[in-house]
Amino acid sequence: MTELNGKPQSRLIPVIEIFGPTVQGEGMVIGKKTMFVRTAGCDYSCKWCDSSFTWDGSGKSDIRQLSAQDIYNELLQTGGDTFAHVTVSGGNPALLPQLGELIEVLKRQGLSVALETQGSRWQDWFWSIDDLTISPKPPSSGMKTDFTVLDSIAAKLAERARHYSLKVVVFDDADLQYAAEIHERYPNIPFYVQAGNGRLHETDPGMMLPYLLERYEWLIGRTMEHRRLKQVHVLPQLHTWLWGNKKGV
């Protein structure tokens, strides 16, 4: 095991952003006040990824190798005593077995933890997450779902009663069909569809909002008439309504 600044490097966590408090913009805890820890690295390369800087090399200079205690200290420095909830995002944080140490640190401090992953890797620390979102990627992403892995993750989560859900981002009718298949495959897991953002390079929130509203209205309309999508929540991507594609919010 090598060391970096006197710390075991294999246990350090590649962090690209720590920010907040802000409102959670996606998934089952949308609107919740939270701090964010964004990790670097992903095993997918989705065509419409809104955080591609975590894996495409463009954010390489922002990556810091931090211990769990380092991250907690920076959360306190950034958010003070204004928060009780932390969201771990990526990239794909499920690539990092050492994240279990951070989750333990946060839980010891009485903080609740949310995390989103695409369902391509299992980690035993999933059972410790308070708000876990599994977000398999639809056809528009260019990625292919490994249902053997996803089935295994769903089965393991079902072994213990945890607060978890499935979410599919939808851009078109093919994605909506995929969402219906996911919903039918895992009918007992709370299910969310979210309107996709196809204008990742637009930085003016005033220009973004009419487009995002149109996409949300389209998704509501298509979901309401869909016979295979009954027990479903239909969500916008809330933070883009407020801040467009700005980072760190």
Side-chain angles (χ1 to χ4, degrees):
M1 179 184 299
T2 59
E3 292 193 354
L4 181 67
N5 297 327
K7 299 169 183 175
Q9 192 169 1
S10 64
R11 306 312 300 171
L12 297 180
I13 298 166
V15 175
I16 203 163
E17 287 186 306
I18 295 176
F19 61 92
T22 186
V23 293
Q24 171 59 259
E26 303 183 357
M28 62 181 173
V29 288
I30 190 170
K32 190 174 183 68
K33 183 179 181 180
T34 188
M35 294 292 292
F36 269 87
V37 176
R38 188 183 299 280
T39 62
C42 194
D43 50 334
Y44 278 21
S45 54
C46 297
K47 294 178 180 178
W48 39 251
C49 179
D50 61 2
S51 53
S52 58
F53 59 91
T54 63
W55 53 264
D56 67 3
S58 62
K60 185 177 180 179
S61 62
D62 295 325
I63 299 173
R64 294 176 293 153
Q65 299 289 340
L66 302 178
S67 70
Q69 190 62 47
D70 290 336
I71 295 170
Y72 174 67
N73 291 343
E74 188 165 332
L75 285 166
L76 286 183
Q77 183 180 8
T78 304
D81 61 354
T82 64
F83 67 96
H85 187 270
V86 176
T87 298
V88 182
S89 186
N92 183 11
L95 298 179
L96 305 171
Q98 65 269 38
L99 263 182
E101 297 176 18
L102 174 61
I103 294 161
E104 289 179 7
V105 168
L106 297 176
K107 302 284 278 188
R108 283 200 300 269
Q109 299 300 325
L111 300 170
S112 55
V113 182
L115 185 138
E116 180 172 321
T117 177
Q118 60 260 48
S120 61
R121 300 284 185 93
W122 169 263
Q123 297 290 349
D124 286 345
W125 47 255
F126 280 8
W127 280 315
S128 298
I129 300 295
D130 298 285
D131 307 304
L132 178 64
T133 298
I134 307 296
S135 183
K137 305 308 177 189
S140 64
S141 71
M143 300 292 103
K144 186 174 178 61
T145 302
D146 186 335
F147 281 102
T148 301
V149 175
L150 192 57
D151 287 349
S152 175
I153 290 173
K156 288 179 179 178
L157 289 173
E159 293 174 9
R160 307 183 188 184
R162 302 301 303 169
H163 192 205
Y164 66 97
S165 67
L166 284 162
K167 184 191 81 177
V168 174
V169 176
V170 175
F171 283 82
D172 53 31
D173 284 328
D175 288 353
L176 200 66
Q177 172 69 17
Y178 173 88
E181 292 168 1
I182 292 290
H183 189 33
E184 289 179 338
R185 191 179 187 102
Y186 311 104
N188 297 319
I189 301 177
F191 188 69
Y192 297 75
V193 290
Q194 177 180 297
N197 171 13
R199 295 186 180 175
L200 299 179
H201 301 294
E202 177 60 67
T203 57
D204 182 351
M207 296 293 291
M208 284 290 292
L209 187 55
Y211 161 74
L212 294 169
L213 181 58
E214 178 185 345
R215 297 307 301 155
Y216 186 42
E217 289 177 334
W218 173 84
L219 182 58
I220 290 174
R222 296 293 287 123
T223 303
M224 295 307 104
E225 66 187 15
H226 205 296
R227 293 191 295 177
R228 298 169 63 194
L229 290 168
K230 295 178 180 178
Q231 297 290 338
V232 60
H233 305 257
V234 186
L235 299 180
Q237 194 181 40
L238 180 61
H239 58 283
T240 58
W241 285 37
L242 299 171
W243 300 295
N245 293 304
K246 184 179 178 181
K247 290 171 59 178
V249 291

